[in-house]
Amino acid sequence: MKASEWLQGKTLADLNAVELGGRLLFPDTIKRCKRDGSFEEVPVMVRVPRQPELLEARVQAAELFRAKKLDRDRDQDVFEQFETLCILSKALRDAKPPHDQHAPVEWLISGEPGKGYDLPSLMEVWEHIRVYQELIDPRITEPTTEDVVAAVMAIDRVRNLSPLAGIAGSALDSFVISMAVLLASYLRSKPSSPSSETSTPAS
């Protein structure tokens, strides 16, 4: 199930989010596969990462890369995965107060017995966090006709795309499509222009 489908129709109240130190924490679970093929669920809390944590995660990923003697240019996709896991380690919190960091990234990716989680289970929680981020984004996410018209007029006035800065990334496609529909409707409503074809003189 996609994360957007998993969250569809839910509000902050439905998600039982709690506030701690000015941050919202969302209850979630990490699924760990057992020997019999079933899954056990490890309860955690997660928070949407902020910019300082994103920067710290990038530095941490670079340090891990150097320690493992990997080439960042050649293994860019692996670096991006390391960076995601570093961010995730900062977002994962213990289920019980005081909701400390659940585990350092070295533990999450460890291959030692009794340590770490399978990558698919971590990526599932990562997708949840991305949806949580959209949920708490104060920018416009569902454009109305009035929103689209206002954006068009603002862009016309300033002659750049800065008015779109207040629109969430997930809604930009909707805005652009709505602008195109609006323009197409206007053009269709105008009287047809005279035909450019010239008549052939009768012989």
Side-chain angles (χ1 to χ4, degrees):
M1 178 184 293
K2 293 181 179 179
S4 56
E5 295 173 352
W6 164 80
L7 188 56
Q8 188 173 15
K10 294 184 179 180
T11 65
L12 285 175
D14 296 328
L15 294 170
N16 297 316
V18 300
E19 187 174 354
L20 179 69
R23 305 282 293 272
L24 285 177
L25 301 179
F26 299 89
D28 212 314
T29 57
I30 303 177
K31 297 180 180 67
R32 179 183 278 141
C33 188
K34 300 169 67 176
R35 285 172 56 182
D36 62 2
S38 63
F39 288 89
E40 65 172 337
E41 295 189 343
V42 179
V44 292
M45 302 293 280
V46 297
R47 67 186 187 188
V48 175
R50 290 181 174 174
Q51 191 63 27
E53 293 153 1
L54 297 177
L55 294 175
E56 290 171 9
R58 171 153 291 209
V59 172
Q60 191 174 25
E63 291 173 350
L64 284 170
F65 236 54
R66 284 194 295 269
K68 294 183 178 295
K69 296 181 171 58
L70 294 170
D71 186 278
R72 183 166 170 178
D73 293 328
R74 188 179 59 203
D75 303 306
Q76 181 62 28
D77 56 334
V78 180
F79 178 82
E80 290 174 358
Q81 189 176 83
F82 266 50
E83 186 177 5
T84 296
L85 291 169
C86 288
I87 297 170
L88 186 58
S89 74
K90 297 179 183 302
L92 288 172
R93 320 303 294 182
D94 288 336
K96 296 181 179 179
H99 304 300
D100 293 328
Q101 183 178 7
H102 181 63
V105 67
E106 291 84 359
W107 190 96
L108 290 182
I109 64 176
S110 174
E112 297 179 24
K115 291 185 178 182
Y117 296 108
D118 293 326
L119 185 61
S121 64
L122 291 173
M123 290 298 98
E124 182 181 29
V125 179
W126 175 249
E127 290 301 319
H128 293 176
I129 292 173
R130 294 174 65 180
V131 178
Y132 294 142
Q133 187 169 21
E134 291 185 14
L135 189 65
I136 65 173
D137 195 327
R139 298 175 296 173
I140 297 171
T141 55
E142 294 296 332
T144 63
T145 301
E146 291 75 16
D147 292 330
V148 174
V149 171
V152 169
M153 298 304 292
I155 291 171
D156 177 64
R157 184 173 65 255
V158 300
R159 300 291 170 159
N160 60 57
L161 297 178
S162 61
L164 298 182
I167 302 168
S170 59
L172 279 176
D173 286 352
S174 295
F175 258 78
V176 173
I177 292 171
S178 297
M179 288 175 181
V181 170
L182 193 66
L183 177 60
S185 297
Y186 169 75
L187 293 175
R188 281 195 295 266
S189 68
K190 295 183 67 176
S192 300
S193 56
S195 174
S196 58
E197 296 179 3
T198 56
S199 57
T200 303
S203 53

